[in-house]
Each structure stands twice: as structure tokens, then as C-alpha cells.
Amino acid sequence: LALSVGAQPPTRPSQPPEGDLSVTALYTSQVWRWGGLPGARLFDTGLGRLVFGAVTIALGVMKLFRWSLPALRHGLLQRHLAIDRVTERAGVGQVLEIASGLSRRGVTMAGRDPGLTYVEVDLPHVVAQKRELLARSEEGRAVAARPNWILVAGDAADLDLAEHLDPARPAVVIAEGLLMYL
């Protein structure tokens, strides 16, 4: 990106209103619940169920006109299971998930392996929503108290992500939830 002298830098898109979660975060969290993935029920919301139902109906109608249309929820579930498997098989001591949304991955992986440090980064309103959802249940509160599961509130573009990782330990970085916004 080249800027001429005196030109104003490009502006970022405006942030969503406080408490707003993207449709993709809501839909994905419900795909994990639909697929029976561990930890997914902790992030179950009425709005997420509504989004999941509406998208499922809309895609069902589209399938009437385009028979070969693949089922979005199946592909999404398979993609996230593949990310889980690759991450687990990497044998690292830490994971950084950028733009984690309502991901249940950190909850699950940090719960299985107390030696793993799992850091999730997302915008402040998303992290606040995630903490609020966990506070609803005893299981969620126990998850939130885990020392090896860390939520970082901030814009990934502005944070020094390296400060949340131990440079002496190998890490996996997951940015799947971020790439669509770049």
C-alpha cells in the first residue's frame, strides 16, 4: 500500500455495536453444538439457534434450485475437526487462536492438557460475551478459572501477540476466524 505525502491513511471498518456477535460466530458455534463437539454447549445462545435455523432453511430452499449445493454445516464441521486434529497432533505447548469468536476449541484442548497454554484473542465485546456465557453455569465458571486458558480482549491488528506466547515453546497459531475479514 503506497501513500502519498499528506494523504490520510485508510480507515478501518467501524466496529460492531457492543455485545454484537457476527453471524458467522453465532452460526459456527451452533454447528459445533449440532455436531456434538465437546464444550460447544457452553456457548449455546438463543440467537445462535435462530441464526442456525434460518441459514439451514435458506440453504434448504436454495438446494431446490441447485441440487449439488453442499451442506454448509457438514463442511464447516469437517473443517473445524481438521483444525482440531492438526493442532492436537502438532504436539506443541501453546496455541494462539486469533479472532476466536465463540470457539470451543480452547476450552476443550486446555481442559484435556493442563500443560498446554491456550490463548484466545478477539475484540473486547466478543470476549465479554464469551465470559458472560461461561458465567451461566458451574462448568463454565470452572473453565474460565483455568490458568492455562487465557482470553485476550483487543484488536489483533493492534496487539503485540508475541507477548502472550513463550518464545521457548513451539506454538500453533490459528487464524481461521480472522482470514475472512482481511
Side-chain angles (χ1 to χ4, degrees), residues 84-143:
D84 287 0
R85 297 305 173 259
V86 168
T87 302
E88 290 167 347
R89 290 180 181 161
V92 299
Q94 54 191 350
V95 176
L96 173 65
E97 186 171 358
I98 305 168
S100 59
L102 296 178
S103 176
R104 33 63 57 201
R105 190 175 291 118
V107 166
T108 304
M109 291 185 182
R112 284 188 198 144
D113 181 359
L116 175 73
T117 300
Y118 202 104
V119 180
E120 293 188 28
V121 176
D122 213 315
L123 296 171
H125 69 278
V126 177
V127 169
Q129 180 71 36
K130 196 163 196 170
R131 289 186 193 284
E132 190 176 302
L133 292 171
L134 290 172
R136 298 181 301 183
S137 69
E138 186 174 323
E139 180 186 5
R141 290 185 294 276
V143 164

Side-chain angles (χ1 to χ4, degrees), residues 9-101:
T11 58
R12 282 192 163 135
S14 62
Q15 297 297 322
E18 286 298 316
D20 183 34
L21 288 170
S22 73
V23 170
T24 57
L26 292 166
Y27 181 79
T28 302
S29 72
Q30 292 304 305
V31 167
W32 289 327
R33 186 185 63 79
W34 169 81
L37 298 187
R41 72 182 180 287
L42 292 171
F43 304 110
D44 183 27
T45 65
L47 184 55
R49 289 189 300 275
L50 181 66
V51 167
F52 182 80
V55 170
T56 301
I57 290 168
L59 291 175
V61 170
M62 287 176 61
K63 202 162 182 70
L64 294 173
F65 303 100
R66 196 165 163 212
W67 301 290
S68 63
L69 187 69
L72 177 62
R73 65 181 179 260
H74 292 109
L76 190 58
L77 185 63
Q78 290 169 354
R79 182 172 76 219
H80 284 278
L81 285 171
I83 292 168
D84 287 0
R85 297 305 173 259
V86 168
T87 302
E88 290 167 347
R89 290 180 181 161
V92 299
Q94 54 191 350
V95 176
L96 173 65
E97 186 171 358
I98 305 168
S100 59

